[in-house]
Amino acid sequence: MAAGTTAPLPALAAVAGLVALATSVARRVPPLVLEFAPDAASPQVVSLSTLGGRFVAFALAYGLLFGVAYRAGRRSGDPNGDVRAAAVAGAVAAFAFVVGSAAVLFALDARQDPLVGVATTVGSGAAVGVQLAVVAFAGIALGRR
């Protein structure tokens, strides 16, 4: 393992976690708006807040995470560590998404079967983790070129 491989790994994992947290909140903007500001929850407000949240999540994933991964690929000295770095970023992202989603669902006082809530949250977390791992790997691979 080269010395340059370990330095970008914590930064890449931290950014992936932050992006996943933002995504977990952005996916639940309409219920949050309806719960905490019911008087201001017109269809236009809900639509604009939903689109704004999706734009922020997109910009963080494909701007910030991809940029940090690209920089990590430029600085990394070990091509064998690329998959590991992307996998760690994806695992951290999945965990952060599950934690963020659980916090939002707790704040919303969601009334659903706990088993269904856990299954959907973990499934969504895995999907977000894989998505962000692919973005991280693409950025690392492009940076290595």
Side-chain angles (χ1 to χ4, degrees):
M1 180 163 94
T5 302
T6 58
L9 187 62
L12 184 61
V15 169
L18 290 174
V19 170
L21 277 174
T23 302
S24 70
V25 173
R27 286 191 176 181
R28 288 168 178 84
V29 168
L32 287 170
V33 169
L34 292 172
E35 179 73 24
F36 294 115
D39 297 335
S42 69
Q44 292 83 10
V45 169
V46 173
S47 296
L48 288 175
S49 59
T50 300
L51 293 175
R54 287 183 181 177
F55 174 75
V56 168
F58 175 84
L60 287 173
Y62 296 104
L64 182 63
L65 179 60
F66 189 80
V68 169
Y70 176 81
R71 189 170 187 145
R74 300 283 294 169
R75 293 183 174 192
S76 175
D78 182 20
N80 296 327
D82 295 352
V83 173
R84 185 181 66 241
V88 168
V92 169
F95 179 75
F97 184 88
V98 168
V99 168
S101 294
V104 169
L105 291 174
F106 180 75
L108 289 173
D109 194 27
R111 293 178 187 94
Q112 64 182 3
D113 182 24
L115 184 61
V116 172
V118 168
T120 58
T121 301
V122 170
S124 295
V128 168
V130 168
Q131 175 190 4
L132 296 181
V134 169
V135 170
F137 185 76
I140 292 169
L142 183 64
R144 185 163 303 285
R145 285 191 84 197

